[in-house]
Amino acid sequence: MSLESAARLLKAAAHDQTIREKFAQVRSPEAFVSVSERLGYCFTTTELKQVVSQQSQNVLLRRRTGVWRWLRDVEWM
């Protein structure tokens, strides 16, 4: 499990529509981790949340559109 793996997935997905499409039907954290593992990434939901939090620092405006929608559709809480 690693923070680096979670960061690599976020970076790859930001630039690759086909990766984001793999998560189109994902709605649970467990399913998200399962799809990630099939793509070769290994991390826990806690690690992913930590990386997302770090990468979201100083963001003033959040939108429901764009490349991050695939991540926001998961019911994290």
Side-chain angles (χ1 to χ4, degrees), residues 59-70 72-73:
V59 172
L60 300 176
L61 178 65
R62 300 198 190 283
R63 295 178 285 194
R64 298 278 313 160
T65 60
V67 299
W68 290 93
R69 181 174 180 200
W70 64 276
R72 286 191 294 270
D73 286 345

Side-chain angles (χ1 to χ4, degrees), residues 18-69:
T18 58
I19 290 176
R20 294 191 303 269
E21 288 172 357
K22 303 273 187 206
F23 294 91
Q25 301 304 315
V26 171
R27 296 296 178 262
S28 74
E30 297 80 13
F32 190 94
V33 169
S34 178
V35 171
S36 299
E37 288 174 348
R38 287 195 304 266
L39 294 172
Y41 300 93
C42 187
F43 51 82
T44 65
T45 56
T46 301
E47 290 168 326
L48 178 63
K49 288 178 188 180
Q50 184 176 346
V51 170
V52 168
S53 176
Q54 290 170 352
Q55 292 187 9
S56 297
Q57 290 180 357
N58 301 320
V59 172
L60 300 176
L61 178 65
R62 300 198 190 283
R63 295 178 285 194
R64 298 278 313 160
T65 60
V67 299
W68 290 93
R69 181 174 180 200

